[in-house]
Amino acid sequence: MNPIFHALFQKSRFLTNCLNEVLKQHNLYSSQWTILYCLQKHGAMTLTQIWKYLNVEAPSVTRAISRLEDLGWVQRVDGEDKREKIVTLSAMAVEHLPAITATILAFEAEMVGSLTVEEQEQFMNLLQKMKG
């Protein structure tokens, strides 16, 4: 196994676990946050648009959206085609997103704090060079 992939997988799992710990204060998991962030960034989206954008299996997104809806974070409305569901942020989500975003920004700053701005840019460039 190429050690780059092992290191990426290990670091990804570590970051996810740490982010889940940080998000506990908002009663969210990282997988839920990614959906909220996606909706905040792009506005209302269909379930298909969400799972394609996040590169996650459709059933996983559907379950996560159902849970977020039960918790009051999102709303689902019928699209032009009755089979199509459009997902939007709820008023509660819009109200709480600034605090969650502040938590996320602090987490990110802590995680990359040992890297210079130049190293962060170099790292991004290297990741973009990889296929996928």
Side-chain angles (χ1 to χ4, degrees), residues 50-57:
I50 294 170
W51 66 259
K52 284 183 177 180
Y53 176 80
L54 295 176
N55 198 27
V56 177
E57 296 79 23

Side-chain angles (χ1 to χ4, degrees), residues 3-5 7-12 15 108 111-130:
I4 290 173
F5 289 95
L8 282 172
F9 294 146
Q10 290 296 99
K11 190 59 72 175
S12 175
L15 290 172
E108 291 173 351
M111 290 296 117
V112 297
S114 62
L115 300 176
T116 66
V117 171
E118 182 181 280
E119 288 170 330
Q120 291 177 47
E121 289 172 1
Q122 183 181 27
F123 184 61
M124 283 300 297
N125 288 333
L126 292 172
L127 286 174
Q128 289 170 356
K129 277 186 164 183
M130 288 181 68

Side-chain angles (χ1 to χ4, degrees), residues 9-22:
F9 294 146
Q10 290 296 99
K11 190 59 72 175
S12 175
R13 185 75 182 137
F14 172 76
L15 290 172
T16 299
N17 288 337
C18 290
L19 183 55
N20 283 334
E21 277 300 311
V22 167

Side-chain angles (χ1 to χ4, degrees), residues 23-94:
L23 286 172
K24 275 184 182 179
Q25 65 186 296
H26 300 288
N27 297 314
L28 289 170
Y29 290 100
S30 60
S31 57
Q32 295 168 324
W33 164 248
T34 59
I35 292 170
L36 295 178
Y37 176 77
C38 183
L39 293 170
Q40 180 186 33
K41 183 176 178 182
H42 299 287
M45 298 176 78
T46 65
L47 290 169
T48 301
Q49 288 171 324
I50 294 170
W51 66 259
K52 284 183 177 180
Y53 176 80
L54 295 176
N55 198 27
V56 177
E57 296 79 23
S60 298
V61 169
T62 301
R63 279 191 304 273
I65 293 292
S66 293
R67 181 74 176 131
L68 287 168
E69 188 174 34
D70 290 345
L71 294 170
W73 291 102
V74 299
Q75 298 170 325
R76 270 192 274 204
V77 295
D78 290 333
E80 291 179 22
D81 177 345
K82 293 286 184 194
R83 295 170 295 175
E84 181 180 71
K85 297 293 182 189
I86 298 174
V87 183
T88 62
L89 293 171
S90 69
M92 181 189 90
V94 172

